[in-house]
Amino acid sequence: QSALTQPASVSGSPGQSITISCTGTSSDVGGYNYVSWYQQHPGKAPKLMIYEVTNRPSGVPDRFSGSKSGSTASLTISGLQAEDEADYYCSSYTSSSTVVFGGGTKLTVL
Amino acid sequence: QVQLQESGPGLVKPSETLSLTCTVSGGSINSYYLYWIRQPAGKGLEWIGRLYSSVSTDYNPSLKSRVTMSVDTSKNQFSLKLRSVTAADTAVYYCARDDKGIAVSAVFWGQGALVTVSS
């Protein structure tokens, strides 16, 4: 299974909005509404931010939102804050009953 | 609160078997999906596989021939074995568990265990 495609890096200033894309195929992102997004700060375990494309777990700020169009999912962070600076990974269920991650995106808050 | 903790040798010789155990506290492992995920230094996350209540397992196709996952419900633990390791298997290994109503997602994570493959 091939990793989902994410931009290597994105950046934004505090208060702005950014969007991270996650592109797969009809066998993963495009075929199922099981896309998740994880945030990972250096030296820490990942944290689930979005599940099933658009849902936020309890405790995740509503500044974080997810969407999907075709085989591309997106994570949008609005009202960017300094603590949002981290690596972000998408993942998707696949037609092989497995899960595949994206390569990760480093978010820099300027 | 559900907590997970990985344990096992931090150093494994090439061609030998990597063995890790994940102990879950504050919650059950019955009727939940249990995951193993790894991350080489400076690189992205790689899904190793998942098991469900010792009923079913799904493995990353690229690792399937070398991986075995199992569960010990009496100890609330689950385990990972990766055979014939090479330096490419050096990584931080995470165990994780999902939650009710949250499908195909790792909700609770361990802190990670660094495993180095070297002679």
Side-chain angles (χ1 to χ4, degrees):
Chain A
Q1 57 191 25
S2 299
L4 306 175
T5 301
Q6 296 181 232
S9 63
V10 298
S11 63
S13 299
Q16 288 186 333
S17 294
I18 63 95
T19 296
I20 300 171
S21 61
C22 170
T23 301
T25 68
S26 59
S27 295
D28 39 63
V29 175
Y32 305 92
N33 287 324
Y34 291 127
V35 175
S36 303
W37 289 91
Y38 299 88
Q39 175 192 67
Q40 186 180 35
H41 287 109
K44 300 294 186 181
K47 174 186 177 182
L48 180 67
M49 305 302 284
I50 297 288
Y51 66 96
E52 294 174 38
V53 180
T54 61
N55 297 319
R56 284 186 310 276
S58 175
V60 173
D62 59 6
R63 302 185 294 105
F64 291 82
S65 62
S67 63
K68 190 184 85 167
S69 177
S71 296
T72 298
S74 298
L75 173 70
T76 298
I77 308 174
S78 58
L80 209 55
Q81 299 182 3
E83 62 258 35
D84 298 333
E85 183 162 297
D87 293 327
Y88 291 85
Y89 294 90
C90 63
S91 72
S92 174
Y93 184 72
T94 81
S95 58
S96 301
S97 300
T98 61
V99 171
V100 62
F101 280 101
T105 299
K106 181 177 180 61
L107 169 61
T108 301
V109 180
L110 302 170
Chain B
Q1 176 70 323
V2 177
Q3 295 185 318
L4 292 85
Q5 178 69 57
E6 305 88 352
S7 60
L11 180 64
V12 182
K13 289 182 168 57
S15 80
E16 295 190 345
T17 297
L18 178 160
S19 296
L20 291 172
T21 296
C22 182
T23 301
V24 181
S25 59
S28 176
I29 60 172
N30 291 319
S31 303
Y32 289 96
Y33 277 100
L34 311 169
Y35 298 91
W36 287 99
I37 294 156
R38 70 180 182 179
Q39 185 173 35
K43 297 188 178 181
L45 301 172
E46 181 178 29
W47 190 82
I48 300 173
R50 67 177 183 176
L51 68 164
Y52 182 81
S53 293
S54 69
V55 171
S56 67
T57 54
D58 297 297
Y59 299 137
N60 185 324
S62 69
L63 300 170
K64 188 173 183 177
S65 64
R66 299 193 291 132
V67 170
T68 301
M69 295 180 185
S70 59
V71 63
D72 186 339
T73 54
S74 68
K75 296 181 179 179
N76 225 36
Q77 294 176 334
F78 60 105
S79 299
L80 168 70
K81 290 189 186 297
L82 181 64
R83 296 175 291 278
S84 304
V85 297
T86 69
D89 295 310
T90 294
V92 173
Y93 285 75
Y94 294 101
C95 62
R97 201 204 79 175
D98 73 353
D99 200 8
K100 297 302 185 188
I102 298 182
V104 199
S105 296
V107 178
F108 303 104
W109 292 69
Q111 64 184 30
L114 174 62
V115 179
T116 301
V117 178
S118 175
S119 56

